[in-house]
Amino acid sequence: MMATIKQISELSGVSRGTVDRVLNGRGHVSPEKERLVRSIAEQVGYTPNRAGKALAARKKSYSICVLLASEGNPFFSEVIRGVREAERELHDYGVKVVLRTLKGYDVSAQVSAMEELGKDASALILNPINDPAVAEKINALSDRGVQVYTVNTDIGDCRRLCYVGSDYFEGGRIACGMLGLLTGGVANVGILTGSVHILGHKQRIDGFLDVMYSKYPRFRFLSIMETEDDDMIGFESTRKMLTDFPEIDTIFLAAAGVYGACRAVQSFLPGRKLHIVSFDHIPQTGELMQAGLIHATICQQPFAQGYEAVKLAFNSLMSGAPPQEQQYIVKNEIRILENL
Amino acid sequence: MMATIKQISELSGVSRGTVDRVLNGRGHVSPEKERLVRSIAEQVGYTPNRAGKALAARKKSYSICVLLASEGNPFFSEVIRGVREAERELHDYGVKVVLRTLKGYDVSAQVSAMEELGKDASALILNPINDPAVAEKINALSDRGVQVYTVNTDIGDCRRLCYVGSDYFEGGRIACGMLGLLTGGVANVGILTGSVHILGHKQRIDGFLDVMYSKYPRFRFLSIMETEDDDMIGFESTRKMLTDFPEIDTIFLAAAGVYGACRAVQSFLPGRKLHIVSFDHIPQTGELMQAGLIHATICQQPFAQGYEAVKLAFNSLMSGAPPQEQQYIVKNEIRILENL
DNA sequence: TTGTATGCGTTATCAT
DNA sequence: ATGATAACGCATACAA
C-alpha cells in the first residue's frame, strides 16, 4: 500500500499540515523538521495520491482554454473531438474547458483572442501562427502565470511549455518511403505544398527530399507548386504543373487542397495511373482512394492531438510541475483503402 | 459544476444515505422516495465523481490478475509494458496488479494457473488458448464473481466480459492491400501462416483472400504453409515453398517465424526482389527492412492491448457495470522503414 | 425504511 | 512555526 501524508506525519511525529508544507514547498517550516520530514518521505517513497489531490482541488476549479484557428478546416473537427473527450474525463476534477475557434490565420485576431482568453485561464492551448507578435503574447501570458501549450503547429523563440503534434519531417520521409515502394523506386515527381512559408509544410518537403536523395536515386524531382491549402488553387496549380511537366507520374500532396489537385489529375490525365500520396483524412479521401487516385494518405492523429494537449495541461496544473518533455509527438499513420 | 449526492439529498430532502441506496440500487427504499430521488438525479444530470469513488474504494483494494502465455515471445514484452503503465496509473486507486507469465501453450497449465490466480482476483485478464477447457474455466471463474477479459486473442462460447485486441480479419485485408500497391496488382503469392488452427491466423488469411478475390484478379495464390510460429520451421517451410513454386514473387507472412522465412528467401533466392509483408515488430524487423527483404509490416499496438485491458477491467470494477462493448479493437498500423 | 457518522488523501483555514 | 480541523464526493457501518 502506498504511503500517505498521514502516515508520514505519524512516523515523523509532526502534524499533517507540516508535512504538507514541506512536501509542497510552502515554507514556514523549521529546517530540522523539514529535513526530518523529507528523509522520512524519501524512505517510504511517498507519491501524492491523485484521487485525493483531485478531490481537494475541486474547490479551486481550473480553467483550460483552447484557441483554435481555423474554422472550416475539417482536420480540426477531430482535434476538437479530442478536446471534448478530455473535457469529459476531467469533468470529475472540477476542470472547465473553454473552446474558442477563429476563422483564418489573422495574427492580430489571434493575439487579441489570446489576450481575452488569458484573462481567466490557468492554461491556454493554441495552434499558433508563426509570427513574432504571437510569440511575444505567449511570453506575456506565461509571465502572468498562464501555462501555454502549442498544438498541431509549433512556434519558436517563446516560453510555451510543450508542443503537442506530429513530426512533420518524419511525415515527409514516410511519404517518400511509400512512394518509393509504390513506384518501385522509379518516378518523375511533382510536389504540391500548401505554402513554402509554413514551417510544417516546409519540414515535410525536407523530409521527403531527405529520403529521396539518400534512398531513391531514380526519383526525378521535377516541380513544386503551392495550393495555399485551397482546393481551387490546388486544382489550378496542379493543372499548370501537369501541363508544364507532362512526364510527371508521381505526386506528393504535402498539404491541403488535396481534392482540387486530384480533380485536376482526373480531368487532365484521364485514365493515366499516377502514384499519389497525400496527408490527412478529409471527407473526400475515401472516394479518391476508391477511385484509385490516391493510394495512401498519412494521418497525424488529430483526435490524440486535442486529447493529449488538454490532459497534458491538466496534469501539469495538478502536479504543479511543468511537463517533463518539451514535445509530445503523435504518430504519423499510414492509411490505405483497407484501413482508412 | 457537477451535481453531487449531497446536493441531490438537499434538493430532495432525504438523506445522503438514501440517495446512495437509490442510485446504486441497494434496495430498502420506499417507492415514493425512490421516484423522487431518481427524478431529481435525472434533472441535475448526476454522474458519480470518479475521484470520490476512487478514494472511498481504497479500503477495498481490488486486485487485477494478468495471465499471459507465452514467455519468450518478444511481442508480449510490449503488452507487459502496457500492463505496467496502467498499473502505475492505477496505483493511486488502491489497485493491485498481479502479472503471471507462462511458457508455451499448454492447456492444463493455463487452466491451473487460472484457478490459482482466480483465488483472490477481482478481475482476470488472459490470452486464452482456444480450447473448451479454458472456456469452461472462464465460466467457472465468472460464476465465482471474477470478471474475465481476453487480450490479444479471443475465445468463443464463454462469458468473458470483453476482448481487447486487434481485428485479425482487417489485418489480413490491409496486408493484401499493401501487397496490391507494392506489386501493381500482379503477383504470384505464397502465404506463410503460424497454424491454420489458430483462429487469429486463419482470420488474417480470410481477410487477405477477401481483398485478393474482390480487388486483385491478377493475384495468383499458389501455396500456403505453416511456420508454427517458429523460425526454424519457418525457414524450412519457406524453403520448400520456394522450391515447389519457384515463380512465387510475393509472400504474405501472417504470423511469427518471420526471421526464418526471410532467411530462407535470402538463401535460396539471393538477389531476387520479392515483395514481402509481415506482421508485428520483432527485433529483427528493422534489419530485414533495411535489407529490403520486408517492405511493410503490420503492427497491432501491443502496448495499447496491455494498457487498455487493465484500464477496462479497472473501470468496470469501479463502476460496478461491465464494459459497454464486448470488444475493444486496437488499430492495425502499417509500418515501413521510415516509421518503424 | 431512513438517517447519521466516519474515513479514504489532500489541501486550506483557522488557531495557537 | 506548528497543529488541529473541516472540506472535497462517495461508500458503508451503525443507529434509530
Side-chain angles (χ1 to χ4, degrees):
Chain A
M1 186 58 74
M2 209 62 225
T4 71
I5 284 188
K6 188 178 167 192
Q7 288 167 355
I8 294 176
S9 89
E10 285 162 1
L11 283 170
S12 56
V14 303
S15 72
R16 301 208 285 273
T18 300
V19 176
D20 172 64
R21 281 185 280 268
V22 171
L23 263 30
N24 293 294
R26 305 189 205 286
H28 304 283
V29 178
S30 75
E32 319 91 274
K33 301 222 172 200
E34 160 117 26
R35 271 202 315 278
L36 173 64
V37 168
R38 278 203 193 287
S39 96
I40 302 237
E42 178 79 18
Q43 277 174 41
V44 298
Y46 172 77
T47 331
N49 180 291
R50 295 170 62 223
K53 256 182 132 76
L55 214 43
R58 262 182 76 94
K59 314 176 204 180
K60 304 202 301 196
S61 144
Y62 294 114
S63 87
I64 298 176
C65 295
V66 182
L67 175 62
L68 290 179
S70 65
E71 289 169 19
N73 186 335
F75 172 83
F76 282 102
S77 64
E78 277 298 291
V79 178
I80 291 170
R81 266 193 56 232
V83 170
R84 291 297 178 209
E85 172 63 18
E87 175 182 25
R88 216 178 52 76
E89 283 186 25
L90 299 184
H91 211 212
D92 288 344
Y93 303 128
V95 175
K96 188 175 49 172
V97 174
V98 179
L99 173 67
R100 170 83 172 282
T101 59
L102 291 175
K103 185 155 42 184
Y105 290 90
D106 180 55
V107 172
S108 68
Q110 184 167 78
V111 169
S112 67
M114 289 170 73
E115 171 59 27
E116 195 182 325
L117 287 173
K119 293 287 184 196
D120 99 318
S122 320
L124 176 65
I125 298 168
L126 79 163
N127 60 334
I129 301 168
N130 194 7
D131 186 281
V134 175
E136 203 176 312
K137 177 56 79 180
I138 287 176
N139 286 340
L141 289 172
S142 175
D143 289 338
R144 274 195 260 154
V146 182
Q147 302 191 346
V148 181
Y149 296 81
T150 54
V151 66
N152 186 249
T153 51
D154 202 8
I155 179 172
D157 293 328
C158 70
R159 293 195 292 287
R160 59 108 180 98
L161 285 181
C162 187
Y163 160 64
V164 179
S166 71
D167 179 338
Y168 287 87
F169 186 78
E170 187 200 61
R173 287 179 47 86
I174 296 170
C176 187
M178 274 304 284
L179 282 173
L181 292 175
L182 299 185
T183 60
V186 183
N188 296 317
V189 180
I191 297 181
L192 284 155
T193 183
S195 161
V196 290
H197 296 111
I198 292 182
L199 191 62
H201 297 172
K202 184 178 160 1
Q203 290 170 328
R204 280 186 185 149
I205 309 294
D206 290 344
F208 186 93
L209 296 177
D210 177 53
V211 170
M212 186 178 112
Y213 289 132
S214 63
K215 194 171 164 185
Y216 294 109
R218 300 176 67 193
F219 267 36
R220 285 204 308 151
F221 170 38
L222 296 178
S223 171
I224 181 168
M225 295 197 70
E226 301 185 1
T227 66
E228 298 182 26
D229 282 348
D230 180 273
D231 281 317
M232 297 312 295
I233 300 175
F235 182 92
E236 191 49 39
S237 300
T238 306
R239 188 196 61 71
K240 183 159 172 20
M241 179 184 280
L242 293 176
T243 308
D244 293 348
F245 300 91
E247 67 271 43
I248 283 179
D249 54 23
T250 300
I251 297 181
F252 170 39
L253 298 176
V258 168
Y259 184 62
C262 287
R263 288 303 298 267
V265 170
Q266 207 169 24
S267 299
F268 298 103
L269 295 178
R272 270 277 298 284
K273 294 284 284 181
L274 306 213
H275 291 106
I276 303 181
V277 166
S278 71
F279 270 90
D280 297 334
H281 184 175
I282 59 171
Q284 302 96 340
T285 303
E287 62 184 75
L288 292 171
M289 276 201 182
Q290 206 84 47
L293 277 162
I294 295 179
H295 290 115
T297 193
I298 296 161
C299 298
Q300 45 172 329
Q301 305 206 131
F303 180 91
Q305 292 188 23
Y307 179 82
E308 296 296 344
V310 172
K311 290 207 84 169
L312 217 59
F314 169 72
N315 284 331
S316 174
L317 288 172
M318 278 292 281
S319 72
Q324 302 273 332
E325 307 292 336
Q326 296 261 323
Q327 303 195 320
Y328 183 101
I329 301 300
V330 302
K331 282 186 198 159
N332 283 296
E333 291 182 330
I334 300 172
R335 303 283 186 88
I336 61 177
L337 189 53
E338 281 75 19
N339 71 334
L340 189 59
Chain B
M1 187 58 72
M2 208 65 225
T4 70
I5 283 187
K6 187 178 168 191
Q7 288 168 355
I8 294 177
S9 89
E10 285 162 1
L11 284 170
S12 55
V14 302
S15 72
R16 301 208 285 271
T18 299
V19 175
D20 172 65
R21 280 186 280 269
V22 171
L23 263 28
N24 293 295
R26 304 189 206 288
H28 304 283
V29 178
S30 76
E32 318 91 273
K33 301 224 172 194
E34 160 119 27
R35 271 202 314 278
L36 174 64
V37 168
R38 278 203 193 286
S39 93
I40 303 237
E42 178 81 16
Q43 278 176 41
V44 299
Y46 172 76
T47 332
N49 180 291
R50 294 171 64 222
K53 257 183 132 74
L55 217 40
R58 262 183 75 94
K59 312 176 204 179
K60 304 202 298 193
S61 153
Y62 294 113
S63 87
I64 297 177
C65 295
V66 183
L67 174 62
L68 290 179
S70 65
E71 289 168 18
N73 184 336
F75 173 83
F76 282 102
S77 65
E78 277 298 290
V79 178
I80 290 171
R81 265 194 56 233
V83 169
R84 291 296 178 211
E85 173 64 18
E87 175 182 24
R88 216 179 51 76
E89 284 186 25
L90 299 185
H91 210 218
D92 288 345
Y93 303 126
V95 176
K96 190 175 48 172
V97 175
V98 179
L99 174 66
R100 170 83 173 281
T101 59
L102 291 176
K103 186 154 43 181
Y105 290 91
D106 179 55
V107 172
S108 68
Q110 183 166 77
V111 169
S112 68
M114 289 170 73
E115 171 59 27
E116 195 181 327
L117 287 173
K119 292 286 185 195
D120 100 317
S122 320
L124 175 65
I125 299 169
L126 80 163
N127 60 335
I129 301 168
N130 194 9
D131 186 280
V134 175
E136 203 175 314
K137 178 55 79 180
I138 288 176
N139 286 340
L141 289 172
S142 174
D143 288 338
R144 273 194 261 156
V146 182
Q147 302 190 346
V148 181
Y149 296 81
T150 53
V151 65
N152 187 249
T153 51
D154 202 8
I155 179 172
D157 293 327
C158 70
R159 293 194 291 287
R160 60 107 180 98
L161 284 180
C162 187
Y163 160 65
V164 179
S166 72
D167 180 338
Y168 287 87
F169 186 80
E170 188 201 60
R173 288 180 47 88
I174 296 170
C176 187
M178 275 303 285
L179 282 173
L181 292 174
L182 299 185
T183 59
V186 184
N188 296 317
V189 180
I191 297 180
L192 284 154
T193 183
S195 160
V196 291
H197 297 112
I198 293 182
L199 192 61
H201 298 171
K202 183 177 159 6
Q203 290 170 329
R204 279 185 185 148
I205 309 293
D206 290 344
F208 187 93
L209 296 177
D210 177 54
V211 169
M212 184 178 114
Y213 288 133
S214 64
K215 194 171 165 186
Y216 293 109
R218 300 177 67 193
F219 267 37
R220 283 204 307 151
F221 169 37
L222 296 179
S223 171
I224 181 168
M225 294 198 69
E226 300 185 0
T227 66
E228 297 181 27
D229 282 350
D230 180 272
D231 280 318
M232 296 313 296
I233 300 175
F235 182 92
E236 191 49 37
S237 299
T238 306
R239 188 197 60 71
K240 182 159 172 22
M241 179 184 280
L242 293 175
T243 308
D244 294 347
F245 301 91
E247 67 270 45
I248 282 179
D249 54 23
T250 300
I251 296 181
F252 170 38
L253 298 176
V258 168
Y259 184 61
C262 287
R263 288 302 298 270
V265 170
Q266 210 171 22
S267 300
F268 297 103
L269 294 177
R272 269 278 298 285
K273 293 285 281 183
L274 305 214
H275 290 107
I276 302 181
V277 166
S278 71
F279 270 91
D280 297 335
H281 184 174
I282 59 171
Q284 301 97 340
T285 304
E287 63 184 71
L288 292 172
M289 277 201 181
Q290 206 83 46
L293 275 163
I294 295 179
H295 291 116
T297 193
I298 296 162
C299 298
Q300 44 173 328
Q301 305 206 132
F303 181 91
Q305 292 188 24
Y307 179 82
E308 296 296 343
V310 173
K311 290 207 86 171
L312 217 57
F314 168 72
N315 284 330
S316 174
L317 288 172
M318 279 293 278
S319 71
Q324 302 273 331
E325 307 291 336
Q326 296 262 323
Q327 304 195 319
Y328 183 101
I329 301 300
V330 302
K331 282 186 198 158
N332 282 296
E333 293 182 328
I334 300 172
R335 303 284 186 84
I336 62 177
L337 190 54
E338 282 75 18
N339 71 334
L340 189 59

